[in-house]
Amino acid sequence: MAATTMSTMSTFLLLSVLLLITIHPSSSQRNSPPAPPNALSLVPTPAPAPAPASDTCNGIWITYTWNSGKKLHPRRKGPKQPFRFKSTLELLNNDDVALKSWEVFVGFQYNELLVSASGVVLANGSTLPALVGEGTIFAGYPHANLLTAIQTAGDVGAMSVEVPLQGTQFGVAPPRVPLPNNISLVNEGYICPPPYKRGNFTLETCCMRDPDYKANMSIADDFRPRQKGDLTIMYDVTKAYTDNYWALVTMVNHNPLGRLDYWQLSWDWTADEFISTMRGAYPDVIDANDCINGPQGEYYAGLDFANVLNCERRPTIIDLPLQYTNDTALGMVPYCCRNGTILPAAMDDSKSISAFQINVKKMPPNLNLSAVVPPQSWQIKGLLNPDYKCGPPIRVSPSEFPGPTGIRVNTTAFASWQVVCNITQPKDAKPKCCVSFSAFFNESIIPCKTCACGCPKNTGQTCSTTAPAMFLPTEAQLVPFDNRTKLALAWAEIKHRPVPNPLPCSDNCGVSINWHVATDFNKGWSARVTLFNWEDDVNFQDWFVAADLGNAGLGFEKAYSFNGTLMTDEVNNNTIFMQGLPGLNYLIAETNGTKPSDPRVPGKQQSVLSFTKAGINGIDIALRDGFPTKVFFNGEECSLPDTLPMSSGYKKPHLAFITALIAVLVLIFMEQ
């Protein structure tokens, strides 16, 4: 019995050991080579990974991927709650043509504040952080060109770009994902279908070349063609050295109603450059502290930074006054030193250009002749002028200049970039000038609208920002707003008009224009235009006013105290362009009254305009056509009143009524 039991146990132990050896092979077995391909295997082979969606695109593949988000302080409810977002924008060139100076629109839609973006700049010249809630255009920098697989033997690094984005969005809480409403390529000649949503986190689209697009450059061209815009800026490198270069910056106005006064030009250096010397313009701040305390001070240890003009990462450049035009140290640059004025070419072609030279010191690793990095994020602005948005600098063919020797041989720039700026109307932007209306058939002036140019920040008393402006008597036009209260209240009482409580705030405009319909008769009519400068210390030299009168403007005959012309271009063909006569082209600043107790007096210019009605049918001067639908002062579109002067007592007699009246009078005379 015992022997049998021992035998059974031995057999069981032996089987257990064999089973363990089978389940857990030895190390030599584990490291043995794989079975040959023809060996029988019961383990299924993994399926190959699916091809990426971009493989089906033979154009420019664009994707936007939301990566992560986080709730931020302060804690708020609904659409005001901020969330951080991190996302990635990617481009891949699967075409057989290189994509040069790529630009992509991303349709942000949740009041996003973009805080950081690598490998791009904002095409409108804005610097980060920037509000992009209505969408924005990204321009590649420094990787601006995407080559093809053919050109690079499939080097994805040269064919594609990846742009990490980070910012703040409002109101989109998990599990919702704040994707943009659109992504598309901005470059001319491409068609982008609406983006496809892959999963919950990614938008993608494939942009193809438009077969009907006819480019004005060949595919083999090294540079993009020069573009058109309201204002163009050329950055021409004229002399290049190992550690510095000279550049000529030239601004040209192409808009017939655009201009700049006291222009200020700014940009971002991206490679630690700094301004050593300038001619024809100057930084608004002379400061070398950032160089002394930065890497520039270490590298240029022997340089006397007392002679360096500016080391700011974002300098602001201003024009020099006219007296420096022929200064051998600061001037002697063609088209320089205009005191910041750039006029439309129609006013003075020679004053539609402004230029200056700049000497730029470079930093490692860009210490060779060919290493020139143009500044980015360009912006230009003026005083009481339109808002301009500037695109990124685009490499163009080198500019040519007349040779300095007088021989008929041109010299070529070392390298050239073009920046295109266009007039825009930012959301919620306020005008800088306003218009009041009046007429011979109404005793009241309809003044500029309340807060027409923005509400005043500091007022002596509480005022309403929404109450309509109070009608005024004629004599109130020359009185500053703060001194008009008694006149306005007395006029309201005389005319039995309601008085808001509190009283409306001022228009807060530096320049106002009164348009007065002076006469209206069968064959023609006339208007009187009066300009008022309420600025304390700003004189407007070479000012201009433009008024769009629709069909009525076609009858313009003459301006008696201004130089007036009817514009003939396609866009402004009903617009009257007015400027001061020689010697009367200054609109002076506001000055003190005759006595210390008198209110200040605005600068003033005035002229009567005459019009004919011959050949112009269907116009009603008193009802609407005698008042402009748009008015510009120095290129800035002014705020207009919401209502027009009216008078129930003024009605032009109908021709049939006049005929009947004459017939009745004749009958009465005959009976007598």
Side-chain angles (χ1 to χ4, degrees):
M1 181 75 177
T4 302
T5 302
M6 290 294 294
S7 175
T8 301
M9 292 179 62
S10 299
T11 302
F12 177 77
L13 291 172
L14 179 61
L15 291 171
S16 299
V17 170
L18 290 173
L19 181 63
L20 288 171
I21 293 172
T22 303
I23 296 174
H24 300 285
S26 65
S27 60
S28 62
Q29 288 175 312
R30 290 195 299 266
N31 297 329
S32 60
N38 59 352
L40 181 63
S41 174
L42 299 179
V43 180
T45 303
S54 60
D55 280 2
T56 63
C57 175
N58 280 333
I60 308 301
W61 180 253
I62 306 174
T63 63
Y64 179 96
T65 303
W66 181 85
N67 299 322
S68 65
K70 179 183 178 181
K71 193 173 185 178
L72 302 175
H73 285 89
R75 297 291 195 255
R76 291 174 177 169
K77 294 182 179 180
K80 294 185 178 181
Q81 173 60 48
F83 295 86
R84 183 182 69 191
F85 73 89
K86 291 185 177 181
S87 57
T88 304
L89 175 68
E90 296 181 76
L91 279 78
L92 173 64
N93 185 4
N94 280 341
D95 202 348
D96 57 2
V97 174
L99 178 64
K100 299 177 181 179
S101 302
W102 66 263
E103 295 185 0
V104 167
F105 173 77
V106 177
F108 294 111
Q109 56 179 331
Y110 299 108
N111 297 319
E112 287 90 344
L113 175 70
L114 188 63
V115 176
S116 66
S118 300
V120 292
V121 294
L122 299 187
N124 65 6
S126 299
T127 56
L128 299 181
L131 294 171
V132 295
E134 294 188 340
T136 193
I137 297 175
F138 293 105
Y141 176 80
H143 194 180
N145 300 331
L146 301 182
L147 303 180
T148 69
I150 298 172
Q151 293 171 315
T152 64
D155 182 358
V156 177
M159 298 163 53
S160 65
V161 65
E162 184 174 298
V163 181
L165 305 172
Q166 181 170 315
T168 303
Q169 55 90 4
F170 291 85
V172 183
R176 296 173 60 205
V177 176
L179 290 176
N181 57 25
N182 190 23
I183 52 174
S184 61
L185 192 66
V186 178
N187 296 62
E188 292 182 350
Y190 286 86
I191 300 175
C192 299
Y196 171 77
K197 186 177 180 182
R198 184 176 295 276
N200 293 326
F201 308 114
T202 300
L203 289 180
E204 54 191 32
T205 189
C206 177
C207 300
M208 303 294 294
R209 272 185 288 153
D210 183 354
D212 297 327
Y213 176 74
K214 295 181 180 180
N216 56 357
M217 62 181 293
S218 69
I219 292 174
D221 285 346
D222 293 330
F223 307 106
R224 287 187 62 181
R226 285 167 166 78
Q227 303 296 310
K228 295 180 180 180
D230 293 324
L231 181 84
T232 57
I233 305 174
M234 289 301 303
Y235 192 80
D236 295 307
V237 177
T238 55
K239 297 178 182 178
Y241 306 97
T242 302
D243 62 353
N244 73 94
Y245 66 86
W246 279 92
L248 174 66
V249 181
T250 307
M251 297 164 278
V252 183
N253 179 21
H254 303 282
N255 189 305
L257 293 179
R259 73 175 278 161
L260 286 162
D261 294 281
Y262 305 101
W263 59 254
Q264 297 181 14
L265 180 66
S266 57
W267 60 64
D268 283 345
W269 296 119
T270 60
D272 292 330
E273 302 97 330
F274 59 94
I275 301 173
S276 175
T277 309
M278 293 186 69
R279 299 170 67 95
Y282 233 58
D284 69 338
V285 175
I286 299 176
D287 184 6
N289 285 323
D290 289 347
C291 286
I292 296 172
N293 300 317
Q296 298 92 338
E298 296 181 8
Y299 182 78
Y300 290 100
L303 181 66
D304 183 4
F305 281 93
N307 297 322
V308 169
L309 289 183
N310 187 279
C311 291
E312 294 175 307
R313 182 179 181 275
R314 186 171 183 80
T316 297
I317 310 301
I318 59 175
D319 200 9
L320 291 177
L322 188 64
Q323 59 263 33
Y324 289 96
T325 301
N326 296 317
D327 188 287
T328 55
L330 298 176
M332 302 298 290
V333 176
Y335 305 110
C336 85
C337 314
R338 304 285 177 77
N339 205 29
T341 298
I342 303 178
L343 299 177
M347 288 185 69
D348 189 331
D349 189 56
S350 67
K351 293 183 179 180
S352 66
I353 306 172
S354 189
F356 61 87
Q357 294 177 348
I358 183 171
N359 180 246
V360 181
K361 286 284 190 179
K362 301 189 292 184
M363 287 286 291
N366 298 315
L367 298 178
N368 59 68
L369 291 176
S370 61
V372 175
V373 181
Q376 299 291 321
S377 301
W378 292 66
Q379 285 186 333
I380 190 166
K381 61 181 180 180
L383 178 68
L384 278 171
N385 295 132
D387 291 299
Y388 288 86
K389 290 294 184 181
C390 301
I394 302 298
R395 186 76 179 266
V396 295
S397 59
S399 301
E400 294 186 356
F401 307 97
T405 60
I407 302 174
R408 296 178 60 185
V409 176
N410 289 342
T411 59
T412 303
F414 177 79
S416 297
W417 287 266
Q418 184 195 42
V419 176
V420 177
C421 305
N422 287 305
I423 296 174
T424 61
Q425 187 66 33
K427 184 181 179 181
D428 299 327
K430 292 292 186 180
K432 303 178 183 72
C433 55
C434 66
V435 177
S436 62
F437 286 153
S438 58
F440 69 92
F441 50 80
N442 193 312
E443 295 180 313
S444 296
I445 293 175
I446 298 178
C448 294
K449 291 193 293 188
T450 301
C451 297
C453 300
C455 294
K457 296 180 180 179
N458 299 310
T459 58
Q461 58 185 7
T462 303
C463 64
S464 172
T465 60
T466 57
M470 298 177 64
F471 289 3
L472 299 171
T474 304
E475 61 268 21
Q477 287 193 95
L478 283 169
V479 180
F481 183 87
D482 293 339
N483 302 94
R484 291 179 186 172
T485 304
K486 290 182 179 180
L487 289 170
L489 291 174
W491 193 249
E493 183 176 357
I494 293 171
K495 294 298 180 181
H496 307 290
R497 295 190 58 85
V499 177
N501 185 18
L503 295 174
C505 296
S506 69
D507 55 66
N508 205 35
C509 294
V511 171
S512 63
I513 300 168
N514 175 249
W515 183 276
H516 178 81
V517 175
T519 62
D520 182 19
F521 47 95
N522 287 336
K523 295 185 178 181
W525 62 286
S526 65
R528 185 179 67 240
V529 182
T530 310
L531 282 63
F532 301 97
N533 181 7
W534 303 100
E535 294 285 349
D536 289 333
D537 53 1
V538 178
N539 298 315
F540 292 101
Q541 182 182 4
D542 295 320
W543 57 266
F544 74 80
V545 172
D548 185 348
L549 285 162
N551 287 338
L554 297 175
F556 174 73
E557 291 182 322
K558 184 178 181 180
Y560 291 88
S561 301
F562 295 162
N563 182 2
T565 55
L566 182 64
M567 301 183 71
T568 57
D569 64 277
E570 295 180 359
V571 178
N572 305 294
N573 57 357
N574 294 328
T575 300
I576 302 164
F577 189 91
M578 295 166 276
Q579 57 182 310
L581 294 171
L584 300 173
N585 58 343
Y586 268 89
L587 182 60
I588 63 171
E590 189 180 55
T591 58
N592 291 323
T594 305
K595 301 177 182 178
S597 59
D598 290 343
R600 289 174 63 80
V601 179
K604 177 185 170 186
Q605 289 270 13
Q606 186 179 82
S607 180
V608 172
L609 315 178
S610 62
F611 299 82
T612 180
K613 294 180 181 178
I616 305 172
N617 299 321
I619 61 173
D620 191 322
I621 299 304
L623 184 62
R624 62 180 180 274
D625 296 312
F627 299 92
T629 56
K630 289 184 179 181
V631 174
F632 299 85
F633 176 77
N634 282 1
E636 170 73 12
E637 186 172 353
C638 304
S639 168
L640 299 180
D642 293 327
T643 58
L644 301 177
M646 298 294 291
S647 174
S648 58
Y650 173 76
K651 292 184 179 178
K652 292 184 66 177
H654 196 275
L655 181 60
F657 173 77
I658 295 175
T659 304
L661 180 60
I662 292 174
V664 170
L665 292 174
V666 169
L667 287 172
I668 294 173
F669 179 80
M670 290 176 66
E671 289 179 358
Q672 291 179 348

